[in-house]
Amino acid sequence: MSSDNILELHGLKKHFKVNGAFGRGKTVVKAVDGIDLVVGRGETVGLVGESGCGKTTVGRTVMKIYEPTEGKIIFDGVDITDLKRRDMKAYRSKMQMIFQDPFSSLNPRHTVGTIIEAAYIIHKTEPVGGRSKAIQELLERVGLNPEHVNRFPHEFSGGQRQRIGIARALALTPKLIVADEPVSALDVSIQAQVVNLLDDLQKELGLSYLFVAHDLSVVQHISDRVVVMYLGKIMEIATTTELFANPRHPYTKALLSAVPIPDPIIERQRERIILTGDLPSPANPPAGCVFSTRCWKVQDRCVSEAPIPVQISPNHTLACHFPEPAGQA
Amino acid sequence: MSKFLEVKNLSVSFPTEDGLVKASNDVSYSVDRGETLAIVGESGSGKSVSNLAIMGLHNAAIAQISGSAWLNLPDGPVDVISAPAEQVRRLRGKVMSMIFQDPMSSLHPYYSVGNQIAEAWSLYNDGSKRDGMARAAEMLDLVGIPSAKDRVKDFPHQFSGGMRQRVMIAMALVNNPSLLIADEPTTALDVTVQSQILKLIQEIQKEFNMAVILITHDLGVVAEVADRVCVMYGGKIVENAGIDEIFYKSQHPYTIGLLDSIPRVDKLGSHRLKAIPGQPPSLIGLPTGCAFAPRCEFVSEVAGSQCTTQDPELAEKTSDHFARCFLQPEQISTLTGRKASAK
Amino acid sequence: MLKYISRRLLYTVILLLLVSLSIFYIFDLIPVDPARLICSKQCTTALVEANRHRLGLDVSVFEQWWRFIQGLFHGRNYGEGGIKDIYCGAPSFGYSFNRHACVSTVMAAAFPITLSLTIGAFVLWLSVGISLGILAARKKGKFADRASTAFVLIGTSLPTFITGIMVVLFIVLKFHLVNPLELGNWQNPFTNPLGWLRTFFFPCATLAIAYAATYTRFTRSNILEISSEDYIRTARAKGLSEKVILRKHTLRAALAPIVTIAGLDFAGLLGGAIITEGIFSLSGLGRLSIKAVTQTYDLPIIVATTLVGSTFVVVMNLIVDVAYAYIDPRVRTA
């Protein structure tokens, strides 16, 4: 059935070795510690979690910016886990990345045209109708004036720069786009423009997105399915409607309840679950369930035994010994 | 009865090579003790600038500041804009305090957190260094840092982001100020930590009966903590009203557009977001007319292209609800389909 | 921390051994044969071979190096097969047949000159550079800032051999501030501080000018950079006075990186300030080594001065790293 999925991750791990100061031993940071995840064709999978949960590392490992420590990455039915740089090239054009910071991810000395054209040069492709025509079409498609092809990134606003980043990613007609916090650096009124653009492009081009973000409101809006990560592990996966209406993992529940809702009356009536403490360091994760140190339902079993993700219904997977009862928002 | 802080016609401009940046333009607001005023705006809207002026934190050699900001102190009101710099300095950290967005870069990396809090305390209190450290430990405990006594000697980098912001709050409150200005205090923090910090600020506000000004871009945070809201756009206040008025009976197309453009976790379904087209204005050489006019969907509703020729006044539209728009409340409610009486 | 320091010390020793070994190999590659150089006019192959044996150059380079290292710890006899045995006690850096003296003795005479010159210059450039930098930063854009910028430009662009010659010209020959006969005489600063000052002040100043200019620029830009840090704004928001902010908050952070640079600059000069020593005819390590290279090709001297110079740099690197950890808690406790 792998042909249904554009991307499959099986037991993916990415560990970083970090040297301590003054030669104080090496530590291993388990940024991603064994995750299973699929992205269907034309699907948007949202990957959420707080800083240090490993969501960005997942995105970068999928792109093979990082070499995975363990596990398998299957892209479009092909195992790309161990492909070398040169062999990856053929697949790189089919998977592209959009970055968080539209200010630092575009070379300030290159014009918009050069930035997009680089994709064609690197992959030695000649789009139908020639490069300059293709570039102009791309700019138009992402809502920029095609006449601005000779301008430099600093001449654009943050939102427009993010559009340039999207145009660059689209140049090689990818199948999968890994979007790493694509709207979190943008102003509120601009965020909606970019989110809508990503929506439209998906409909027109049949793209699949792996949408990495910390903002649950945006993820809820754009995703078909949502994956909640905490300290390198998956806590819960469900379709968006299911996850937001019926969160079963205590962490998901706390996360949802922490998101402020721009509605004062609802806010006044809301019961908040306020987690105590901070995220533990991924270099030294708690034994057993990684969430056990902050969970209000913690029991002995949680500390001794790590829960494994179990599919509890066709559209819901959960890693918790003592989940919240179903049917509660 | 005047409120604790009364800001009147405060303008702050910075001359640059490209022209005069009118960062804050004729801004007026007030906040009383026990009250939380949220100042909302996007980057470049000038939401921090007027508050930095109140604190006296602009470079006097560069910033051009006019208007007034009166603090109604027990021994008589003081205008912190026209008062001598030295007098304003003696109010900082004692009567008014400020916390900032990035708690890592806002703490000195070379001094222990206890040392930094004690330094603020000893400015206005007589006591030994040891008294200062004891007071620092007390404050750290108050803001919820576990085993505070052992942690006073730790350095900022040994704390997590949320804990650092707690340290900042402890430092700001060490001399029991009457006014706390919080500039995007939770923007750099994770959402579960954000709710901890917001709760802490609310509790401490109640305990010390402080006036709080919360500067933020996040309308969700506003809904959670504010009593009153000023919405800023292009360096000006475009709307100023009580919290419910802003969220349910907004009288300005920008506020309405902003509320419509944000996705909400409690509203399921993949409706299309209603984005505000275009870009926020540059604060240099603002065009004549309403700064929001180029992005406003209702421009055509106002007779005689008034929006692009004339800047509307900040007028009282309904009782204690001010907005900078030519449209009248009835027109707004017809155009947005909102019922002005609902909720 | 102790563990770290001892490990770094071990690395330092290994590094110095490697440095010394490579010095021996490098000088072996140079196509000058010391054995032939000291050979008289009627030079025969046998004579050259005898010389070579006497100089200790008839064994492999590695063997030469090993003998040298042993000599450092035990002392050594030199001049094998010669008329008489010459002994240099530990630490023996070799024997200069050219000067007919143990290298350690020659260097012991030269080192105080270089050391006092370097310390004098160091104190001068640090005090002048840092205070000018602070002044320039505080009066940014004003006259004092511009004047210091002019000093920086002149100081960094004038090479020492020009400033040195100008100093000699004006101070010694034109204004007679120093007796030219006294120039270059070694005076012990402890027994005769005034005499030392008379001979060493101007060389120190000459050496210090370029450094002082660099440090002025460095201090100024660091202060300005730190002044715009968020934590300085926090200090201001606390109600601290500008004086306290500068003294306690800005300078502490702005001057920390100077420790690194100053340490390495100091160590670099300890190996000898060739040009300054030359101009003021001070017989320090710099003049010693340049003479050994250009005039006499005195291999033992060259090897020893090179090794001592690199030792200062390597050891100072370690000191600077440890010192920095004490200044910056982020390094210490990370």
Side-chain angles (χ1 to χ4, degrees):
Chain A
M1 291 289 283
S2 67
S3 59
D4 284 351
N5 297 323
I6 189 74
L7 179 74
E8 294 181 12
L9 305 179
H10 298 291
L12 188 73
K13 287 188 183 179
K14 178 64 203 173
H15 295 178
F16 294 99
K17 285 199 186 74
V18 181
N19 287 326
F22 294 111
R24 255 179 249 142
K26 281 182 182 142
T27 46
V28 173
V29 176
K30 297 174 177 174
V32 177
D33 202 25
I35 66 165
D36 297 291
L37 176 74
V38 293
V39 180
R41 291 181 194 277
E43 190 189 28
T44 301
V45 172
L47 192 53
V48 290
E50 298 177 275
S51 51
C53 75
K55 56 187 191 295
T56 295
T57 311
V58 171
R60 294 188 180 170
T61 314
V62 166
M63 292 299 296
K64 295 282 297 280
I65 295 171
Y66 298 147
E67 283 298 316
T69 311
E70 222 180 288
K72 272 197 177 358
I73 306 171
I74 313 242
F75 174 72
D76 207 2
V78 182
D79 186 346
I80 62 163
T81 320
D82 299 317
L83 287 188
K84 296 275 162 286
R85 260 185 97 84
R86 196 153 22 108
D87 305 320
M88 261 308 286
K89 220 170 170 182
Y91 299 98
R92 279 256 159 77
S93 63
K94 296 292 156 218
M95 49 203 280
Q96 287 288 318
M97 196 155 180
I98 305 171
F99 298 92
Q100 170 174 2
D101 189 351
F103 295 85
S104 61
S105 55
L106 299 173
N107 189 332
R109 284 173 201 85
H110 286 177
T111 64
V112 173
T114 322
I115 288 169
I116 299 173
E117 197 185 0
Y120 297 126
I121 296 170
I122 291 165
H123 288 274
K124 298 191 180 69
T125 45
E126 197 60 42
V128 188
R131 284 177 187 171
S132 62
K133 186 160 169 275
I135 291 168
Q136 301 219 335
E137 277 172 8
L138 277 170
L139 289 178
E140 207 155 9
R141 167 155 263 160
V142 298
L144 291 171
N145 187 343
E147 287 164 21
H148 292 173
V149 65
N150 286 323
R151 293 198 178 180
F152 289 91
H154 71 262
E155 297 176 72
F156 295 88
S157 69
Q160 288 171 321
R161 269 180 253 201
Q162 199 53 288
R163 288 172 193 267
I164 299 169
I166 294 171
R168 184 198 51 77
L170 290 178
L172 297 161
T173 57
K175 294 178 175 172
L176 172 72
I177 287 189
V178 176
D180 187 0
E181 301 271 10
V183 298
S184 51
L186 304 177
D187 268 322
V188 183
S189 74
I190 307 300
Q191 275 191 5
Q193 297 176 2
V194 174
V195 167
N196 284 343
L197 173 66
L198 289 171
D199 262 344
D200 295 344
L201 290 170
Q202 179 165 46
K203 284 193 193 98
E204 288 168 36
L205 307 169
L207 296 168
S208 311
Y209 292 133
L210 180 59
F211 193 93
V212 179
H214 72 279
D215 185 336
L216 279 113
S217 323
V218 173
V219 166
Q220 184 262 122
H221 179 83
I222 201 162
S223 309
D224 300 313
R225 277 190 311 130
V226 177
V227 179
V228 181
M229 278 186 80
Y230 187 83
L231 281 185
K233 304 240 192 208
I234 288 177
M235 301 286 103
E236 192 165 12
I237 306 179
T239 55
T240 307
T241 337
E242 169 78 4
L243 190 95
F244 283 81
N246 194 13
R248 303 287 305 278
H249 199 290
Y251 177 62
T252 315
K253 214 173 165 190
L255 203 57
L256 285 180
S257 104
V259 178
I261 296 172
D263 193 324
I265 291 178
I266 293 179
E267 277 295 336
R268 269 170 231 147
Q269 293 158 349
R270 251 175 129 195
E271 288 281 333
R272 272 227 155 71
I273 304 164
I274 293 193
L275 293 178
T276 51
D278 296 299
L279 276 99
S281 154
N284 187 20
C289 174
V290 282
F291 184 57
S292 59
T293 52
R294 294 174 81 198
C295 187
W296 66 97
K297 301 178 78 181
V298 64
Q299 300 193 24
D300 291 348
R301 191 179 163 202
C302 303
V303 186
S304 58
E305 183 193 338
I308 42 170
V310 177
Q311 191 163 25
I312 53 167
S313 77
N315 52 21
H316 206 144
T317 302
L318 180 68
C320 180
H321 295 310
F322 307 102
E324 293 284 293
Q328 253 195 330
Chain B
M1 265 297 280
S2 48
K3 290 192 172 183
F4 180 71
L5 169 72
E6 304 243 350
V7 179
K8 284 183 194 131
N9 311 106
L10 185 58
S11 294
V12 183
S13 319
F14 304 95
T16 66
E17 284 172 15
D18 300 326
L20 195 65
V21 177
K22 290 187 176 172
S24 168
N25 200 338
D26 199 20
V27 164
S28 302
Y29 49 83
S30 60
V31 60
D32 212 352
R33 298 183 73 145
E35 191 184 22
T36 302
L37 170 73
I39 300 185
V40 188
E42 300 179 86
S43 52
S45 63
K47 58 187 187 295
S48 304
V49 176
S50 56
N51 293 291
L52 288 169
I54 295 168
M55 288 290 292
L57 293 178
H58 285 300
N59 186 339
I62 297 168
Q64 301 172 356
I65 305 174
S66 66
S68 63
W70 291 91
L71 285 177
N72 285 303
L73 302 176
D75 45 354
V78 176
D79 173 18
V80 290
I81 302 299
S82 62
E86 188 57 20
Q87 190 189 348
V88 178
R89 173 173 83 76
R90 304 293 299 177
L91 297 174
R92 284 204 286 272
K94 188 180 179 194
V95 172
M96 51 185 184
S97 281
M98 189 159 181
I99 57 173
F100 303 97
Q101 174 172 348
D102 186 350
M104 179 75 238
S105 62
S106 297
L107 289 164
H108 201 297
Y110 291 177
Y111 294 104
S112 71
V113 295
N115 190 330
Q116 298 188 49
I117 298 172
E119 185 186 34
W121 178 79
S122 62
L123 258 180
Y124 301 109
N125 296 278
D126 294 321
S128 66
K129 191 143 192 197
R130 180 181 288 183
D131 296 338
M133 289 302 263
R135 174 79 179 142
E138 226 173 85
M139 288 308 295
L140 290 179
D141 191 54
L142 177 82
V143 297
I145 288 182
S147 47
K149 271 208 177 73
D150 303 325
R151 301 219 64 184
V152 278
K153 288 200 173 120
D154 282 356
F155 293 92
H157 71 270
Q158 292 167 301
F159 291 82
S160 68
M163 287 297 158
R164 281 180 210 136
Q165 195 59 288
R166 285 173 195 265
V167 170
M168 280 298 289
I169 293 172
M171 190 157 78
L173 300 185
V174 72
N175 296 312
N176 284 338
S178 310
L179 169 67
L180 175 71
I181 300 174
D183 190 352
E184 302 260 12
T186 58
T187 306
L189 306 176
D190 277 316
V191 64
T192 57
V193 180
Q194 164 170 287
S195 56
Q196 295 172 0
I197 296 292
L198 290 176
K199 187 171 157 232
L200 174 70
I201 293 177
Q202 281 180 303
E203 285 169 359
I204 282 174
Q205 171 177 34
K206 222 174 260 166
E207 195 173 332
F208 295 98
N209 192 29
M210 279 188 308
V212 172
I213 296 178
L214 178 78
I215 304 164
T216 181
H217 70 279
D218 188 334
L219 284 163
V221 171
V222 173
E224 198 177 329
V225 298
D227 300 310
R228 196 177 177 85
V229 184
C230 287
V231 181
M232 290 198 68
Y233 190 82
K236 289 180 183 169
I237 292 179
V238 292
E239 192 163 14
N240 177 352
I243 175 92
D244 287 7
E245 287 280 319
I246 290 281
F247 278 85
Y248 306 119
K249 298 173 195 166
S250 171
Q251 297 300 325
H252 198 281
Y254 174 62
T255 315
I256 296 166
L258 213 51
L259 282 166
D260 285 341
S261 69
I262 41 178
R264 294 169 54 157
V265 279
D266 63 329
K267 288 270 167 73
L268 281 169
S270 53
H271 58 285
R272 199 178 157 75
L273 292 178
K274 199 165 166 267
I276 304 175
Q279 307 294 332
S282 148
L283 294 173
I284 300 172
L286 279 167
T288 50
C290 172
F292 187 60
R295 302 174 74 189
C296 184
E297 55 177 329
F298 302 140
V299 170
S300 55
E301 304 295 330
V302 178
S305 61
Q306 221 178 345
C307 293
T308 48
T309 53
Q310 206 181 325
D311 192 18
E313 293 293 314
L314 187 65
E316 188 164 11
K317 298 288 181 177
T318 59
S319 167
D320 199 28
H321 187 150
F322 300 82
R324 196 181 285 277
C325 184
F326 291 116
L327 291 171
Q328 293 310 308
E330 311 79 54
Q331 290 173 286
I332 295 254
S333 62
T334 338
L335 287 168
T336 57
R338 283 168 199 236
K339 294 191 185 78
S341 57
K343 288 190 179 162
Chain C
M1 195 71 188
L2 263 178
K3 215 172 133 194
Y4 166 75
I5 293 175
S6 45
R7 202 164 65 205
R8 276 288 302 266
L9 272 175
L10 180 73
Y11 287 154
T12 305
V13 171
I14 295 172
L15 182 66
L16 285 174
L17 286 177
L18 289 175
V19 166
S20 56
L21 184 62
S22 47
I23 290 172
F24 273 83
Y25 274 102
I26 287 168
F27 285 112
D28 184 60
L29 287 176
I30 293 176
V32 179
D33 187 353
R36 197 172 287 281
L37 273 182
I38 59 167
C39 198
S40 55
K41 275 181 187 161
Q42 293 100 28
C43 198
T44 61
T45 323
L47 221 47
V48 171
E49 280 310 314
N51 279 345
R52 186 160 290 145
H53 180 65
R54 199 156 61 90
L55 292 173
L57 296 173
D58 55 340
V59 293
S60 72
V61 177
F62 188 81
E63 177 71 29
Q64 291 174 31
W65 172 76
W66 183 237
R67 283 188 192 169
F68 176 83
I69 297 297
Q70 282 177 316
L72 277 179
F73 294 98
H74 301 299
R76 213 181 126 187
N77 282 312
Y78 295 93
E80 287 146 88
I83 307 144
K84 57 174 183 184
D85 262 1
I86 305 152
Y87 177 76
C88 293
S92 165
F93 284 91
Y95 182 81
S96 165
F97 288 91
N98 194 281
R99 292 168 176 264
H100 300 291
C102 290
V103 173
S104 48
T105 320
V106 177
M107 293 221 299
F111 184 63
I113 294 173
T114 298
L115 181 68
S116 66
L117 175 68
T118 306
I119 290 179
F122 185 70
V123 170
L124 266 179
W125 91 58
L126 270 190
S127 45
V128 171
I130 291 175
S131 19
L132 268 184
I134 293 173
L135 183 74
R138 292 198 62 178
K139 308 270 173 199
K140 192 187 162 204
K142 305 232 173 76
F143 175 76
D145 186 23
R146 279 160 214 228
S148 89
T149 308
F151 167 70
V152 168
L153 265 175
I154 294 167
T156 47
S157 52
L158 271 186
T160 311
F161 62 84
I162 303 242
T163 38
I165 287 169
M166 290 198 334
V167 165
V168 172
L169 265 178
F170 281 90
I171 282 148
V172 180
L173 300 178
K174 192 146 190 210
F175 298 116
H176 306 291
L177 288 176
V178 178
N179 182 348
L181 295 176
E182 268 182 35
L183 212 62
N185 281 357
W186 165 240
Q187 306 284 347
N188 188 327
F190 296 106
T191 53
N192 184 7
L194 271 179
W196 179 85
L197 211 60
R198 251 203 319 277
T199 30
F200 275 81
F201 177 76
F202 291 111
C204 286
T206 305
L207 187 57
I209 285 175
Y211 285 98
T214 319
Y215 280 58
T216 302
R217 186 176 52 188
F218 189 75
T219 307
R220 177 185 182 272
S221 65
N222 265 19
I223 289 179
L224 289 180
E225 195 187 312
I226 298 292
S227 300
S228 61
E229 287 284 347
D230 287 350
Y231 54 80
I232 299 301
R233 184 181 58 187
T234 306
R236 208 161 274 139
K238 273 185 194 176
L240 295 175
S241 67
E242 290 301 314
K243 225 190 256 165
V244 175
I245 293 173
L246 177 75
R247 208 182 56 226
K248 205 178 150 191
H249 292 255
T250 314
L251 281 185
R252 172 87 193 262
L255 295 185
I258 285 188
V259 172
T260 313
I261 302 174
L264 295 181
D265 281 344
F266 184 77
L269 280 181
L270 279 183
I274 293 170
I275 293 166
T276 311
E277 288 178 15
I279 290 169
F280 293 93
S281 24
L282 294 165
S283 311
L285 287 180
R287 209 151 156 246
L288 182 67
S289 51
I290 204 75
K291 226 175 182 171
V293 172
T294 56
Q295 295 172 17
T296 53
Y297 199 72
D298 196 342
L299 196 55
I301 298 270
I302 299 172
V303 168
T305 47
T306 314
L307 189 60
V308 166
S310 43
T311 307
F312 284 132
V313 172
V314 173
V315 171
M316 192 53 98
N317 250 314
L318 173 64
I319 294 174
V320 159
D321 281 358
V322 173
Y324 205 86
Y326 277 95
I327 295 169
D328 190 340
R330 285 172 299 184
V331 180
R332 194 188 329 149
T333 51

